[in-house]
Amino acid sequence: MASVKVKFRPSTIEGKEGTIYYQIIQNRVIRQLKTDYRIFTDEWNEAGSCIIVGSSRRSNLLLSLQERMEWDLKRLDMIIRQLDNRKAGYTADDIVASFQSNKEGQSLFNFMQGIIARLKQMGKIRTAENYSCTLKSFMQFRGDRDILLSEIDSDLMQLYEAYLHGKGAVRNTSSFYMRILRAVYNRALEKELMEQRNPFRHVYTGVDKTVKRAVPLSAIKRMKSLDLSLQPNLEFARDMFLFSFYTRGMSFIDMAHLKKKDLQNGFLSYRRRKTGQQLVVRWEKCMQEIVGKYPEDSLSPYILPVLKYPFKDTHKHYRSVMSGINRNLKEIARLADISVPLSMYCARHSWASAAKGKNIPISVISEGMGHDSEATTQIYLALLDNSVVDKANAQILKGL
């Protein structure tokens, strides 16, 4: 059986990146398979034949390259096993040709991991997470057995859908995974990696309307009035929920990344990380009261004490903090006699519901964010004079 080794070739020019390549050996014949993965000499572990990710500012890039490398090796292993199973002779050149071919040996796992790596490099971390979650689920369904793109068909997708429902997933969850897999499949079609087989025609890829996760103003008042001074973790979770509500349902990821420079002349200006839309919110007294409760870190660029500074992997830390807040909000809901399973996302729904209850025009609220797509709501909001939205927010905050 052929063997594969990972090698690193330093640059002949001092201070420049070297190149990672694969050494393929079959019947004592050695061939090299080049990659476009470039790193510096001190980022390579020769003994372990792996990248040193570390905690440098390039850590995200290095981690992405390491993941791509691991998937390349899995793909090479799959190609070698397929060639072995044919019970016919093959050479190291055959392995290289199969790997480089756009039509042979291209597996779903490898192709999808490549997409995930590119999304990370483009800074689309949230989308990359969704793709990673889908890939992990599909790998569990397959028992970690990879599959060629050309082997994806309607029967397989129906089996996967049945598997998800058997694990307790609702239709919206299975549809979420299916839509991501469909996007991956369509990208492979664009690259002409296989022929169209319409594998998603018999599975559900729509979006069912779900129960709204809003809580009424009366419940938010009860949350606000809770004495949590002896339970700082609960108090912090409650404050983050209220800050989101005060700022027109700002998403937690945007809250976490708010910087001090974003607050100027009584207005908070930020760009949504999900859509890229620029939003401006008038700074109210209740917002300042929350910020003022927590000691200011002069070294930190952030307004809220969510992300530690300096912190190398801010995204991982943000996810960890959000998870803790959502757990604590469940306890707050119990203390405040709130039946809705409380989370940070509820603040967004709650603001929209409160606005609707205050008879704010539908053009301002877009039916309490009740559209099938949040993007539709954002289109409505983007067309409005921002002062109209600020007045709406002021009316809501007066009710507390």
Side-chain angles (χ1 to χ4, degrees), residues 304-368:
L304 295 171
V306 175
L307 300 177
K308 300 296 182 182
Y309 182 82
F311 201 97
K312 304 303 180 184
D313 192 346
T314 57
H315 183 73
K316 182 178 180 181
H317 186 57
Y318 140 77
R319 298 286 297 183
S320 175
V321 173
M322 184 176 69
S323 178
I325 287 176
N326 283 335
R327 283 197 306 271
N328 288 326
L329 285 174
K330 302 297 186 295
E331 174 61 16
I332 291 171
R334 186 187 68 80
L335 295 173
D337 193 25
I338 298 172
S339 59
V340 173
L342 212 56
S343 69
M344 283 300 298
Y345 197 63
C346 293
R348 186 169 182 81
H349 283 269
S350 299
W351 184 87
S353 179
K356 184 178 178 182
K358 293 290 182 179
N359 295 318
I360 304 301
I362 194 155
S363 57
V364 178
I365 303 305
S366 183
E367 189 57 20

Side-chain angles (χ1 to χ4, degrees), residues 142-351:
R142 290 280 303 166
D144 288 333
R145 290 176 290 107
D146 207 342
I147 185 172
L148 296 177
L149 289 168
S150 59
E151 295 177 303
I152 299 174
D153 59 18
S154 179
D155 288 342
L156 179 68
M157 289 299 103
Q158 288 183 83
L159 286 172
Y160 178 48
E161 184 179 57
Y163 163 83
L164 291 172
H165 292 166
K167 299 281 284 186
V170 298
R171 284 218 313 170
N172 272 350
T173 300
S174 64
S175 176
F176 172 79
Y177 290 140
M178 290 297 175
R179 292 197 304 275
I180 289 179
L181 288 173
R182 185 177 61 187
V184 171
Y185 188 84
N186 288 339
R187 186 171 299 194
L189 283 176
E190 290 176 2
K191 293 179 176 292
E192 299 182 347
L193 301 181
M194 75 284 191
E195 296 181 356
Q196 173 65 273
R197 302 181 70 180
N198 297 311
F200 302 93
R201 63 184 180 275
H202 295 310
V203 295
Y204 182 66
T205 56
V207 180
D208 288 340
K209 289 188 176 181
T210 57
V211 177
K212 292 184 179 180
R213 289 172 278 186
V215 294
L217 276 175
S218 58
I220 295 178
K221 285 182 180 180
R222 293 198 299 274
M223 285 178 58
K224 186 179 179 182
S225 64
L226 288 174
D227 182 3
L228 301 173
S229 56
L230 298 180
Q231 298 171 286
N233 289 338
L234 294 185
E235 185 174 30
F236 180 70
R238 188 264 310 275
D239 289 346
M240 293 303 98
F241 183 95
L242 291 176
F243 188 88
S244 173
F245 184 83
Y246 293 160
T247 52
R248 308 193 321 231
M250 185 185 298
S251 67
F252 186 66
I253 190 169
D254 292 330
M255 286 171 50
H257 289 86
L258 285 177
K259 294 188 175 180
K260 296 171 184 175
K261 65 181 181 180
D262 295 333
L263 178 57
Q264 295 184 20
N265 302 318
F267 289 90
L268 185 64
S269 176
Y270 70 100
R271 189 175 295 279
R272 288 209 64 201
R273 297 176 76 86
K274 182 175 182 179
T275 64
Q277 182 186 6
Q278 185 77 25
L279 295 177
V280 180
V281 180
R282 187 166 57 203
W283 192 249
E284 302 283 358
K285 180 182 177 181
C286 54
M287 304 170 193
Q288 182 58 45
E289 287 175 349
I290 287 180
V291 172
K293 284 177 64 174
Y294 299 92
E296 180 182 353
D297 183 350
S298 59
L299 297 177
S300 175
Y302 302 114
I303 290 178
L304 295 171
V306 175
L307 300 177
K308 300 296 182 182
Y309 182 82
F311 201 97
K312 304 303 180 184
D313 192 346
T314 57
H315 183 73
K316 182 178 180 181
H317 186 57
Y318 140 77
R319 298 286 297 183
S320 175
V321 173
M322 184 176 69
S323 178
I325 287 176
N326 283 335
R327 283 197 306 271
N328 288 326
L329 285 174
K330 302 297 186 295
E331 174 61 16
I332 291 171
R334 186 187 68 80
L335 295 173
D337 193 25
I338 298 172
S339 59
V340 173
L342 212 56
S343 69
M344 283 300 298
Y345 197 63
C346 293
R348 186 169 182 81
H349 283 269
S350 299
W351 184 87

Side-chain angles (χ1 to χ4, degrees), residues 95-164:
I95 298 172
V96 173
S98 183
F99 184 90
Q100 293 176 333
S101 171
N102 284 333
K103 295 184 179 296
E104 294 181 17
Q106 184 67 288
S107 72
L108 172 65
F109 293 2
N110 178 75
F111 183 71
M112 200 164 176
Q113 188 61 34
I115 294 175
I116 293 168
R118 285 191 291 275
L119 288 170
K120 289 179 179 179
Q121 288 181 319
M122 291 187 293
K124 297 182 177 181
I125 304 299
R126 192 168 181 177
T127 304
E129 280 186 344
N130 290 339
Y131 275 63
S132 294
C133 183
T134 302
L135 177 58
K136 181 180 179 181
S137 170
F138 194 79
M139 288 174 67
Q140 290 173 343
F141 159 67
R142 290 280 303 166
D144 288 333
R145 290 176 290 107
D146 207 342
I147 185 172
L148 296 177
L149 289 168
S150 59
E151 295 177 303
I152 299 174
D153 59 18
S154 179
D155 288 342
L156 179 68
M157 289 299 103
Q158 288 183 83
L159 286 172
Y160 178 48
E161 184 179 57
Y163 163 83
L164 291 172

Side-chain angles (χ1 to χ4, degrees), residues 374-392:
E374 181 181 311
T376 306
T377 302
Q378 292 304 326
I379 291 172
Y380 272 83
L381 291 175
L383 295 174
L384 298 170
D385 180 350
N386 199 69
S387 64
V388 175
V389 185
D390 281 327
K391 288 178 181 178

